[in-house]
Amino acid sequence: MGILEKISEIEKEIARTQKNKATEYHLGLLKAKLAKYRAQLLEPSKSASSKGEGFDVMKSGDARVALIGFPSVGKSTFLSLMTSTASEAASYEFTTLTCIPGVIEYKGANIQLLDLPGIIEGAAQGKGRGRQVIAVARTADVVIMMLDATKGEVQRSLLEKELESVGIRLNKHKPNIYFKPKKGGGISFNSTVTLTQCSEKLVQLILHEYKIFNAEVLFREDCSPDEFIDVIVGNRVYMPCLYHPPPPFHPQVYNKIDQISMEEVDRLARKPDSVVISCGMKLNLDYLLEVLWEYLALTCIYTKKRGQRPDFTDAIILRKGASVEHVCHRIHRSLASQFKYALVWGTSTKYSPQRVGLTHTMEHEDVIQIVKK
């Protein structure tokens, strides 16, 4: 029996097993086996014939955004509208056959936008070049899930299922579980909260399935068996997603709103993490850029030389929460060691200018002047 058949058998057994106290250990073991087989499925083939099958694009700019969706939802049209890159668009499916990169210039930042080929149901198992598409999506900072507004909720649930099965967790945070394999001493289990979904016995069974017999486990939040398996596997990617229109946390974008009623547009627009647009009529694209900027959590920092005006033409782009030390490293790697103090103007200070140290947290559009020893 091949891996695909084994995965199918386990999925069927999970579907037909009732969820209650008596079956929680059995379900936990099945989920552990399922995660193990899926990981084997994603391992690249060792045969020489598989070389050169991928189509990853070199990472550039300040952030990377991947467009994922079914064929003919408007991904190529969106890329052509938002960037200076022309991606071939036509009314038939699979017009795009490889990864097309473009650059969005917004608020002084260069955001790399990737137009990926449409994926179909079963992409996680390798259908329709799905594995290569998903591999590129794993390297992105944000995924824009582009959906056809006329197709309802079917596309969204299918796409989420495909991404979930290859270890991409959309709009979720990493489980707060401390896990460290050891060389001896058995399994040490503790929790700082009351656990309602996992027990010590279930944790031991899951670890034994992965042939781990010595480890330290500490639950700092009430996590499910699935989340614990994610911690053991360790290769999960947690990223925000925007739906077109979006649900909460990963951006979801609904295209072709010019083909549905106003009531349906209103319903989709009110969903969390969703944005409604029309590429054909160029509707709501500015708002989508604003939402994307929030999801990327980028900050523009301007520099100033002593006795001169700030340079507003060339911003330093950093992640939200960056400190003065991060700014120093971005300017030059030796600057932090020569740092004496910095003067900062902007919303992160109580008064302007304020003299600050390396640990001061910068905010969007702050101006900084660094003084060396």
Side-chain angles (χ1 to χ4, degrees):
M1 189 187 284
I3 293 177
L4 285 175
E5 288 82 8
K6 287 177 182 175
I7 288 173
S8 178
E9 285 294 315
I10 292 171
E11 284 176 340
K12 283 175 189 170
E13 192 169 346
I14 288 173
R16 66 172 175 256
T17 304
Q18 283 189 326
K19 291 172 179 65
N20 54 45
K21 277 282 180 189
T23 60
E24 64 176 9
Y25 298 123
H26 179 59
L27 281 169
L29 275 176
L30 288 175
K31 286 172 180 175
K33 281 180 181 171
L34 187 62
K36 205 160 74 170
Y37 286 137
R38 278 179 175 161
Q40 287 175 23
L41 191 68
L42 290 172
E43 284 172 9
S45 169
K46 291 183 174 64
S47 64
S49 61
S50 64
K51 285 183 182 176
E53 284 182 1
F55 48 67
D56 197 5
V57 172
M58 195 168 124
K59 207 165 186 174
S60 68
D62 303 298
R64 173 180 264 200
V65 176
L67 283 172
I68 276 200
F70 284 94
S72 290
V73 291
K75 298 186 296 298
S76 298
T77 309
F78 179 73
L79 180 91
S80 302
L81 281 172
M82 304 304 280
T83 71
S84 56
T85 307
S87 182
E88 191 184 343
S91 57
Y92 54 87
E93 295 187 345
F94 295 107
T95 317
T96 304
L97 296 172
T98 185
C99 180
I100 314 279
V103 177
I104 301 172
E105 292 178 9
Y106 187 68
K107 292 189 177 179
N110 290 328
I111 301 165
Q112 188 182 42
L113 184 67
L114 301 180
D115 175 21
L116 294 165
I119 63 176
I120 56 175
E121 197 175 350
Q125 280 79 45
K127 288 184 185 175
R129 303 199 81 184
R131 238 183 268 177
Q132 290 103 310
V133 171
I134 289 167
V136 176
R138 282 174 69 96
T139 66
D141 299 300
V142 168
V143 166
I144 290 184
M145 193 180 283
M146 191 158 289
L147 309 169
D148 188 334
T150 62
K151 299 278 174 69
E153 299 300 302
V154 183
Q155 287 191 347
R156 177 181 162 184
S157 57
L158 284 171
L159 280 172
E160 283 181 341
K161 187 183 170 188
E162 293 298 327
L163 296 175
E164 191 87 9
S165 65
V166 292
I168 297 178
R169 303 287 179 260
L170 299 175
N171 298 335
K172 289 181 183 175
H173 67 278
K174 198 172 180 179
N176 195 355
I177 300 172
Y178 173 77
F179 170 70
K180 186 182 180 184
K182 296 190 296 185
K183 289 182 179 176
I187 293 169
S188 165
F189 177 85
N190 276 302
S191 66
T192 58
V193 292
T194 306
L195 300 180
T196 60
Q197 304 174 76
C198 263
S199 66
E200 186 172 354
K201 185 183 171 186
L202 181 54
V203 165
Q204 286 178 347
L205 283 170
I206 292 170
L207 287 172
H208 289 172
E209 180 61 36
Y210 280 91
K211 294 187 169 48
I212 298 169
F213 303 99
N214 302 290
E216 206 174 321
V217 180
L218 173 63
F219 276 67
R220 295 194 183 103
E221 63 180 350
D222 186 15
C223 294
S224 66
D226 295 302
E227 289 172 317
F228 179 57
I229 291 165
D230 285 350
V231 171
I232 297 170
V233 175
N235 65 349
R236 303 309 192 215
V237 178
Y238 298 86
M239 65 170 70
C241 165
L242 221 170
Y243 297 92
H244 195 359
F249 228 98
H250 62 127
Q252 207 174 16
V253 179
Y254 290 92
N255 191 16
K256 306 184 184 178
I257 57 165
D258 50 306
Q259 298 176 23
I260 57 174
S261 66
M262 280 304 295
E263 290 77 12
E264 182 65 5
V265 172
D266 185 60
R267 187 187 71 80
L268 291 173
R270 289 177 188 277
K271 295 179 80 174
D273 293 325
S274 298
V275 178
V276 290
I277 64 160
S278 169
C279 291
M281 297 180 73
K282 299 181 183 178
L283 299 174
N284 217 26
L285 297 175
D286 291 346
Y287 175 65
L288 175 57
L289 271 181
E290 284 178 35
V291 174
L292 187 59
W293 180 263
E294 286 175 29
Y295 273 88
L296 288 167
L298 297 176
T299 308
C300 291
I301 311 292
Y302 300 106
T303 54
K304 176 187 178 303
K305 289 181 180 177
R306 190 173 180 179
Q308 295 182 20
R309 294 178 66 82
D311 181 10
F312 291 118
T313 58
D314 188 18
I316 295 172
I317 309 295
L318 296 165
R319 295 281 167 194
K320 202 169 276 186
S323 64
V324 172
E325 190 172 3
H326 290 113
V327 177
C328 292
H329 287 309
R330 181 58 70 88
I331 295 169
H332 196 276
R333 62 176 180 268
S334 66
L335 188 56
S337 59
Q338 301 168 358
F339 179 87
K340 187 177 181 183
Y341 66 88
L343 295 173
V344 175
W345 292 256
T347 54
S348 69
T349 58
K350 291 177 182 174
Y351 45 87
S352 294
Q354 182 175 328
R355 185 168 163 163
V356 299
L358 281 172
T359 57
H360 176 76
T361 303
M362 304 293 288
E363 289 184 8
H364 186 52
E365 295 186 337
D366 277 1
V367 174
I368 186 169
Q369 178 188 321
I370 294 168
V371 179
K372 295 198 286 187
K373 288 174 186 172

